[in-house]
Amino acid sequence: MKITLLGTGDAIGTPKVGCSCPQCARANATGTMRLRTSLLIENQGRHLLIDSSPDLRQQLLKAGSPHIDAVIWTHGHYDHFIGFGEFYRIQPIPPVFAAPQVLNYCAEIFRFLTFDKGAIQPYEPFDIFGITITPFMVKHPPAFTCGMLFETGESRVAYTADTNIDIPEQSLGLLTGLDLLLLDALVPSDISIHKHMNYLDACTLAGRLAPKDFRCVHMSHMLPWDLPHTGKDGDIFEFP
C-alpha cells in the first residue's frame, strides 16, 4: 500500500491569496505550496482517492495523472469534495463511497455527472482493492464527518479528516497499533478553534495513540513550514 499526500492545506491553502505572512511569503518565493488536503492510495495496481479537493486537477497532474478507480468523501465541506467535477471528460467518472448523508448532499451538487454511489456506515468495514476500510466518527461540528482506517494484512493507516480533539472513544479504540496516523492540525498551539485540532492537540493525540509515525495535515497558512511532524505535499509512505 502506497500513500501520497496530494495536499496538506486547509480550505484556503498556502499561500493564502493576498497574504504576506512569513509562511505565505516563503511559499510565494519558493513555489512551495499546501494544496487542499487529499490522499492518493495505491494498492494492487488500483488508485483510491480520499477526498476530491478543489486543487484536484493540479494534484493529479503532479502525481503523474493516475487513473482514479474510486473516491471516498469524508464529509460535505467544499474543500473535501468539490474537485470531483474535474473528472468530467477526463476519465470514466469513478464510483464514490461515503456515509449516506454525505453522499446524498455531495452527489446532488454533481447531479450533472453519472456515477455509481456506495453508502458506507461508520464502524462497518468494507473491502476495496485489497484494503479493508473502516469509517469512524470524528467531531467536526456541525458537519457529519468520518475519519478512515485503512488496513491490509500487514499495515494499518488512519486519517482523522477534519476534527477537533474530542473524538469518540469508539473511534479512538480503532486507532491502536498504527503504522501511520494523519491528523488534522489547522492552527498553531496558541490558537483554539472549536471544530479543528491545533498543532498541540494533534501532537497530544498522537502521543496518546502512539503510532509508529504521524503527520499533520489540513494545515493553515499560520503553521510554520518547519514544525516537526508536519506533512508536505507530495510526501509518500509505502507499506507492505
Side-chain angles (χ1 to χ4, degrees):
M1 181 167 62
K2 176 181 176 181
I3 296 177
T4 303
L5 304 186
L6 296 179
T8 57
D10 67 342
I12 296 168
T14 304
K16 177 182 176 181
V17 173
C19 182
S20 59
C21 76
Q23 286 71 242
C24 292
R26 176 173 167 179
N28 283 317
T30 64
T32 304
M33 294 186 178
R34 287 181 181 140
L35 301 178
R36 271 66 74 90
T37 291
S38 181
L39 315 177
L40 180 66
I41 300 180
E42 301 174 56
N43 200 55
Q44 297 183 346
R46 309 295 288 275
H47 295 89
L48 177 63
L49 179 69
I50 312 303
D51 287 335
S52 50
S53 90
D55 298 313
L56 183 61
R57 178 179 179 276
Q58 185 177 1
Q59 290 169 337
L60 293 182
L61 287 170
K62 285 187 172 184
S65 300
H67 180 279
I68 301 301
D69 297 291
V71 176
I72 291 177
W73 287 327
T74 59
H75 64 294
H77 282 163
Y78 90 98
D79 55 316
H80 290 263
F81 80 92
I82 204 65
F84 189 74
E86 297 289 1
F87 289 116
Y88 179 64
R89 296 176 59 189
I90 299 298
Q91 65 159 78
I93 309 301
V96 179
F97 299 87
Q101 47 272 71
V102 175
L103 192 62
N104 293 339
Y105 172 77
C106 298
E108 176 62 19
I109 304 296
F110 292 111
R111 58 187 179 275
F112 62 93
L113 298 177
T114 299
F115 57 98
D116 292 335
K117 306 169 185 70
I120 56 178
Q121 299 290 345
Y123 308 113
E124 294 185 6
F126 70 101
D127 295 324
I128 186 170
F129 310 148
I131 305 169
T132 299
I133 302 176
T134 306
F136 57 89
M137 293 299 301
V138 294
K139 192 170 183 180
H140 182 49
F144 183 98
T145 307
C146 287
M148 298 289 162
L149 173 64
F150 309 100
E151 297 177 279
T152 65
E154 301 177 73
S155 56
R156 290 169 52 85
V157 175
Y159 167 51
T160 64
D162 294 13
T163 184
N164 63 27
I165 200 169
D166 190 22
I167 297 173
E169 287 296 326
Q170 185 176 358
S171 297
L172 294 176
L174 294 172
L175 306 183
T176 59
L178 295 173
D179 296 286
L180 176 66
L181 176 60
L182 301 171
L183 293 169
D184 176 21
L186 185 71
V187 291
S189 301
D190 60 344
I191 299 175
S192 294
I193 296 180
H194 78 284
K195 58 184 179 180
H196 289 276
M197 288 193 286
N198 63 23
Y199 179 72
L200 177 60
D201 290 334
C203 292
T204 299
L205 182 59
R208 174 181 175 185
L209 296 174
K212 292 180 182 177
D213 198 2
F214 81 95
R215 292 291 187 277
C216 298
V217 294
H218 203 271
M219 296 173 288
S220 75
H221 71 113
M222 292 182 278
L223 263 291
W225 288 101
D226 299 323
L227 284 174
H229 301 292
T230 51
K232 306 292 190 298
D233 290 18
D235 279 355
I236 294 174
F237 304 87
E238 296 196 56
F239 306 96

